[in-house]
Amino acid sequence: AEHQHARYNPLRDDWVLVSAHRVKRPWQGQLEKPPPEDVPRWDPSNPLCPGATRANGEVNPQYEGTFIFPNDFPALQPDAPEPGDSDHPLFRAAAARGVCKVMCFHPWSDLTLPLMSLAEIRAVIDAWAELAAELGVSYPWVQIFENKGAMMGCSNPHPHCQVWASSFLPNEARLEDRTQRQHLSQRGVPMLLEYAEQEAHRKERLVVENADWLVVVPYWATWPYQTLLLPRRHVCRLQDLKEGERDSLASIMQRLLIKYDNLFEVSFPYSMGWHGAPTGPYLEEDCGHWQLHAHYYPPLLRSATVRKFMVGYEMLAQAQRDLTPEQAAERLRSLPEVHYKRRDE
């Protein structure tokens, strides 16, 4: 653990360099500003708040739970034209169509997921599953993702996520489809189902678990406190979850996100997203090699103000991390499951 070594990521078919001793080096680089603690609960100028006016002139309803609406600045549109024919194989283009949605988790701007009730988190999960099923009828890939915190490019502090449905399989989906298909062919069991069983037995990278789910810092983690959320049974898509599994998912998400916030006693930034079997035309195909899972990629490394930068060697050679996944998991595992803002309640 104290000496540098490389670890293989079977899900992405690549490697990460682990250099645990580097976390001890002095730091005189960029310091981030901690996220603001004084976010107003309701702000009429915030376009995600109930009753606020968005950029396109539409007025939000006085919603009391989740609220879903078309992205006012979508990266994908359903009626985009075909690109012109290429005159050379090095200059290829392809059609890219789709729809982009925004989902507000809650009407209050100052309430993030770890501070919501289990019922409120369950409502978010149900809305995710409903959207995945609805858009999955027409589109082969539905990407649910949350960018939390300005450090991760979030332009609005109101608790929300985005859902992009595309007419194509994005790069990460194509890669995970290939690696999981190969693993099932070679070993006769879905990759992430076998991996979850191994991690549940080994315990050394386990962060939290319950009867239906477990969260681990994956053996091949790239980001310092990266985690992987896995179901214990074989399930391909979010919309396939049973009622009890949705309840236990709300619970384990809350526990994980409270630990994240407690790590540096700050509203912990991250990018997260769900990966499951493709939809659209793939609904008629055998996608048994897929296993539903969620990735959490938080950037913070040493404190609330020091982040991990993916530059230099990471951009030009391969990913590199500054502490072992086992060290990260032990630190997260040992944290309390009562949010630091509610310890006095």
Side-chain angles (χ1 to χ4, degrees):
E2 296 180 359
H3 300 283
Q4 65 268 18
H5 61 280
R7 296 191 183 189
Y8 180 63
N9 181 347
L11 194 57
R12 300 197 73 259
D13 189 24
D14 64 10
W15 293 79
V16 57
L17 174 63
V18 182
S19 310
H21 57 284
R22 278 174 52 83
V23 78
K24 301 175 183 177
R25 73 191 192 280
W27 182 258
Q28 296 180 331
Q30 174 73 28
L31 296 179
E32 309 294 335
K33 291 182 179 179
E37 296 283 347
D38 57 347
V39 176
R41 178 156 292 181
W42 183 81
D43 181 355
S45 65
N46 185 329
L48 298 186
C49 282
T53 302
R54 303 203 308 274
N56 63 358
E58 292 190 18
V59 178
N60 296 334
Q62 294 291 340
Y63 65 93
E64 297 180 351
T66 59
F67 170 51
I68 301 167
F69 61 93
N71 194 314
D72 295 326
F73 302 96
L76 294 165
Q77 296 177 322
D79 54 356
E82 289 280 348
D85 293 334
S86 172
D87 61 356
H88 193 282
L90 293 179
F91 301 94
R92 297 166 59 191
R97 301 185 180 93
V99 295
C100 299
K101 304 275 190 179
V102 175
M103 179 194 298
C104 295
F105 296 154
H106 197 279
W108 295 355
S109 293
D110 60 342
L111 203 65
T112 56
L113 279 171
L115 293 170
M116 292 181 193
S117 69
L118 289 177
E120 290 166 338
I121 299 173
R122 168 64 196 266
V124 170
I125 293 166
D126 288 340
W128 280 343
E130 184 176 340
L131 257 186
E134 174 190 327
L135 296 174
V137 171
S138 305
Y139 292 99
W141 190 255
V142 180
Q143 183 59 65
I144 298 168
F145 65 97
E146 178 194 4
N147 294 325
K148 183 188 174 199
M151 194 182 301
M152 296 308 291
C154 183
S155 61
N156 192 307
H158 194 94
H160 71 285
C161 73
Q162 298 188 57
V163 183
W164 294 9
S166 61
S167 62
F168 55 90
L169 287 187
N171 294 340
E172 292 297 308
R174 292 169 64 88
L175 182 56
E176 289 193 4
D177 185 72
R178 174 175 65 81
T179 57
Q180 290 180 98
R181 189 184 299 274
Q182 288 176 344
H183 187 92
L184 180 63
S185 175
Q186 293 168 1
R187 295 187 57 82
V189 61
M191 178 198 293
L192 292 181
L193 183 61
E194 181 177 9
Y195 179 67
E197 292 171 350
Q198 284 289 319
E199 290 288 32
H201 172 72
R202 295 170 184 257
K203 304 288 186 186
E204 57 189 333
R205 285 170 294 275
L206 190 66
V207 178
V208 287
E209 64 178 330
N210 61 27
D212 300 312
W213 301 87
L214 67 157
V215 175
V216 300
V217 177
Y219 177 79
W220 53 78
T222 298
W223 293 92
Y225 292 97
Q226 175 180 335
T227 54
L228 185 63
L229 172 57
L230 295 163
R232 292 185 185 270
R233 78 171 176 97
H234 186 206
V235 55
C236 291
R237 300 179 178 94
L238 195 62
Q239 53 267 42
D240 298 334
L241 294 176
K242 301 174 182 177
E243 288 292 312
E245 290 170 331
R246 295 185 185 199
D247 287 337
S248 57
L249 174 57
S251 173
I252 205 164
M253 283 176 54
Q254 185 188 64
R255 294 169 64 196
L256 169 66
L257 297 179
I258 286 174
K259 285 180 178 289
Y260 269 160
D261 280 10
N262 284 345
L263 179 60
F264 298 129
E265 295 199 347
V266 70
S267 185
F268 206 66
Y270 59 74
S271 282
M272 72 80 65
W274 285 98
H275 283 173
T279 49
Y282 295 91
L283 292 171
E284 305 300 321
E285 298 184 8
D286 182 2
C287 291
H289 54 291
W290 271 91
Q291 175 74 330
L292 177 70
H293 58 283
H295 297 282
Y296 284 84
Y297 298 133
L300 292 178
L301 172 60
R302 297 168 179 240
S303 68
T305 60
V306 178
R307 67 178 298 177
K308 167 68 178 178
F309 289 91
M310 291 293 179
V311 295
Y313 189 86
E314 290 88 351
M315 295 176 68
L316 297 165
Q318 70 180 35
Q320 179 270 332
R321 61 178 291 116
D322 299 316
L323 75 164
T324 67
E326 293 76 24
Q327 290 168 336
E330 182 179 11
R331 187 165 184 189
L332 288 173
R333 189 169 54 242
S334 65
L335 291 166
E337 295 188 9
V338 175
H339 198 278
Y340 72 92
K341 289 186 176 181
R342 293 179 170 168
R343 286 178 190 159
D344 296 331
E345 294 181 5

